[in-house]
Amino acid sequence: MTDRVYPKTTTNGVLTIILAAAVTAIILYLIYNPHRPSFTVSSLKVTTLNLTTTNIHLNVTAKNPNKNIIYFYNPITVSVLTSKNGILIGEGAFPQFVHGKKNTTFLRTAIMRTQDLDVNDSTSTNAKLKSELTNKNGVGIVIKMDTKVKVKLASMKTPKIGIRVTCQGIKVIAPSGKVTTTTASTADTKCKVDVRVKIWRWTF
């Protein structure tokens, strides 16, 4: 059995197409100088936060700083976890939207979770969460937002790619007694946008 030999013209043609695409991408980058969209937590209010129930009102501001690029977002899933032990305390979602050129979009959602737990259960997860919730200095939380986005640059549109926005530096205090709602300080919050590429079973 002999190995198949591909004509040099075919190989050269493929290399030419790849090279042309790379050059085009570089030229477009230099012309349009694209910037990633930015996300900030503008408001976070807690009405319920305990071992069995979570009710948080979250407002996020999304900014597109580009004057020649449009982003098309799928629905965004939102997860809120404790920053110390990574315990999931609530979930929510933002609807899909189109992020126009030089546009600022305000997003709102309710982060909720209800689960049947024995509050006296001393399992590791319950014990860790109870310890964090009773901290007088508040509970550090991390907000993770996952979605897929398509980018339109001039007349070109990219395939949808996965992104994750991670916001850290937030502390919340659970309401208690006559206090029915607490507002988290978001001044020190930092949100980072990462592209998530899935290869086989692994996501990077």
Side-chain angles (χ1 to χ4, degrees):
M1 183 176 179
T2 59
D3 294 333
R4 182 179 294 180
V5 178
Y6 293 95
K8 288 186 177 180
T9 53
T10 301
T11 304
N12 291 339
V14 172
L15 291 175
T16 300
I17 293 172
I18 294 174
L19 180 61
V23 171
T24 301
I26 293 171
I27 292 173
L28 289 174
Y29 183 87
L30 293 175
I31 292 174
Y32 293 105
N33 189 24
H35 298 280
R36 292 186 181 187
S38 65
F39 294 79
T40 56
V41 177
S42 46
S43 174
L44 191 150
K45 295 183 178 181
V46 182
T47 56
T48 309
L49 181 58
N50 54 50
L51 284 176
T52 60
T53 308
T54 298
N55 194 340
I56 297 173
H57 300 278
L58 173 66
N59 292 352
V60 170
T61 302
K63 292 184 179 181
N64 176 8
N66 301 284
K67 61 182 180 180
N68 295 298
I69 297 175
I70 300 173
Y71 296 99
F72 299 83
Y73 290 92
N74 278 8
I76 303 173
T77 60
V78 184
S79 304
V80 177
L81 307 93
T82 62
S83 56
K84 184 178 180 180
N85 295 299
I87 300 171
L88 180 67
I89 59 175
E91 296 175 298
F94 295 122
Q96 65 181 26
F97 69 99
V98 177
H99 212 180
K101 305 170 185 176
K102 302 289 287 186
N103 174 264
T104 298
T105 300
F106 301 98
L107 306 169
R108 297 179 180 179
T109 188
I111 305 298
M112 305 184 74
R113 185 175 179 86
T114 302
Q115 53 186 347
D116 295 323
L117 289 179
D118 181 356
V119 295
N120 297 314
D121 187 359
S122 59
T123 60
S124 59
T125 300
N126 280 5
K128 289 177 181 178
L129 182 56
K130 187 176 181 179
S131 174
E132 293 194 57
L133 292 177
T134 54
N135 189 327
K136 293 182 179 179
N137 295 322
V139 185
I141 63 171
V142 176
I143 300 172
K144 293 184 179 181
M145 296 174 275
D146 292 289
T147 187
K148 287 187 176 181
V149 60
K150 179 167 59 177
V151 182
K152 182 180 179 182
L153 194 160
S155 59
M156 297 194 316
K157 285 186 179 181
T158 68
K160 289 184 178 180
I161 57 174
I163 66 167
R164 167 172 284 181
V165 182
T166 304
C167 300
Q168 302 185 73
I170 308 169
K171 274 197 172 183
V172 299
I173 297 176
S176 62
K178 294 182 179 180
V179 179
T180 58
T181 303
T182 59
T183 301
S185 173
T186 58
D188 297 326
T189 304
K190 294 182 179 180
C191 297
K192 181 182 179 183
V193 181
D194 292 307
V195 176
R196 292 172 63 78
V197 180
K198 190 170 185 180
I199 302 176
W200 294 98
R201 297 180 181 179
W202 297 277
T203 302
F204 301 89

